[in-house]
Amino acid sequence: MRYPLTAARVRRAFFALMGLMVVAAGFALPATPARAQDGLVRVAVSDPYWIGVYFNNVDLAGSPKLTRTEREINFGWGTGSPDSVINADFFSARWTRYLYLEEGLYRFTATTDDGMRIWIDEQQVLNEWREGSERTFVIDRPLTTGHHLVRIEFFEATGSATARFGWERLSGTQPPPAFNAWRGEYFNNRELAGDPALVRDDSDINFAWGWNSPAPGVIQPDNFSVRWTRNLDFATGNYRFTVTVDDGARLWVNNALIIDEWREQSARTFESDIWLPGGNVPLRLEYFDGAQDATVRLSWRRIDGGGGGG
């Protein structure tokens, strides 16, 4: 049967042809990422690489001067530049990628000089947007099976420039909630001075490192120090805090210094009692190791007949 060639049929045929052309063009798209007006690019879950955008300012402002794909974020530019079109100083970069991960606990490690921010699934997990010497941060996060969007932002001021990011799966089980962790800042000196060389989450403070390092290759085995901070919910009551240490330690509970034993010594145990009014209580433990054995442990218990302890 023949159908008359009407204007409506001509229009339908034209749009169908255009649709086929668009689909065909889609298969021929190059692998290089598209440039976006605000420096943000849309990545596909199937992309096996990072999409990086680079700016000749420290604020990721305006249109990027360079857009390219990166197999990994493992850059030690020193006093040089990422590319001939990018300044050696006062530049910034943003890398974006989906990572397909199986369910489990993951450790993300970032090293930066100067500033870095990291988001996982649009949740910020690191905010060190400041000038500073090279330092390493460790972030533990439980993740479900699937694609997870990771965004890393970086800026370089002057001097050396470093940006590194990696991850590893620690276990296939879910860890305790994030608020059950101590934030540990580790320094390669005895005075907690300068920027920490390592920042990580520690589930509890119960370490007997002996003559070894808390983090081989990052923290030296002697003459180091650590600051742990955490907030905990306590019921109203009297508590006894116990610290075992070799060498020195200082403990603040609810912003009160209750143990001050900042000196070289063999392993000793110290106790101090404090009444807590109940609610959210800040805790801070500072520690240093001089030489040889390194030990530090912290615990507490309620001493007025109630429960609780750590």
Side-chain angles (χ1 to χ4, degrees), residues 229-289:
T229 53
R230 178 182 179 183
N231 281 17
L232 275 174
D233 190 54
F234 284 86
T236 303
N238 286 307
Y239 291 83
R240 176 164 296 159
F241 285 79
T242 302
V243 173
T244 299
V245 65
D246 178 349
D247 288 284
R250 295 184 291 235
L251 175 64
W252 285 261
V253 177
N254 209 24
N255 298 314
L257 180 61
I258 65 170
I259 293 177
D260 186 3
E261 300 292 340
W262 199 254
R263 64 182 186 274
E264 291 192 33
Q265 58 195 326
S266 56
R268 296 182 60 192
T269 297
F270 305 93
E271 293 184 334
S272 183
D273 299 345
I274 186 172
W275 181 85
L276 296 176
N280 198 34
V281 174
L283 305 175
R284 181 166 98 247
L285 178 64
E286 296 179 348
Y287 164 78
F288 86 87
D289 174 57

Side-chain angles (χ1 to χ4, degrees), residues 182-205:
W182 293 85
R183 176 182 170 89
E185 299 171 284
Y186 292 73
F187 301 79
N188 276 319
N189 58 70
R190 295 167 47 159
E191 297 81 28
L192 304 146
D195 291 320
L198 171 67
V199 180
R200 72 184 186 191
D201 291 340
D202 290 320
S203 59
D204 56 7
I205 303 174

Side-chain angles (χ1 to χ4, degrees), residues 55-229:
F55 303 79
N56 276 327
N57 57 70
V58 297
D59 307 309
L60 303 145
S63 297
K65 295 291 290 184
L66 172 67
T67 303
R68 69 185 184 191
T69 59
E70 319 274 17
R71 301 303 300 184
E72 59 181 350
I73 301 175
N74 185 18
F75 302 113
W77 293 297
T79 56
S81 163
D83 190 89
S84 60
V85 301
I86 302 299
N87 304 328
D89 291 320
F90 301 111
F91 70 87
S92 54
R94 178 188 292 116
W95 298 280
T96 313
R97 180 184 174 183
Y98 278 95
L99 298 177
Y100 182 83
L101 303 172
E102 298 290 340
E103 181 178 5
L105 174 63
Y106 285 82
R107 173 159 294 169
F108 298 90
T109 304
T111 299
T112 185
D113 179 350
D114 290 281
M116 185 175 284
R117 298 184 291 225
I118 300 175
W119 288 260
I120 299 175
D121 294 328
E122 300 300 338
Q123 179 183 3
Q124 190 171 52
V125 299
L126 180 71
N127 186 7
E128 290 292 329
W129 200 250
R130 59 188 175 86
E131 293 185 36
S133 56
E134 183 173 309
R135 55 213 189 271
T136 297
F137 302 92
V138 177
I139 306 123
D140 291 348
R141 283 293 180 276
L143 295 174
T144 57
T145 298
H147 289 92
H148 297 274
L149 180 62
V150 180
R151 185 169 86 251
I152 301 169
E153 295 180 347
F154 166 82
F155 85 86
E156 155 67 5
T158 59
S160 186
T162 301
R164 306 186 197 278
F165 178 78
W167 64 95
E168 61 176 322
R169 189 175 188 231
L170 299 181
S171 72
T173 59
Q174 296 291 340
F179 59 79
N180 281 344
W182 293 85
R183 176 182 170 89
E185 299 171 284
Y186 292 73
F187 301 79
N188 276 319
N189 58 70
R190 295 167 47 159
E191 297 81 28
L192 304 146
D195 291 320
L198 171 67
V199 180
R200 72 184 186 191
D201 291 340
D202 290 320
S203 59
D204 56 7
I205 303 174
N206 184 15
F207 299 108
W209 292 300
W211 292 40
N212 299 315
S213 161
V218 180
I219 302 298
Q220 57 203 23
D222 291 320
N223 295 310
F224 67 87
S225 54
V226 190
R227 179 189 296 115
W228 289 282
T229 53

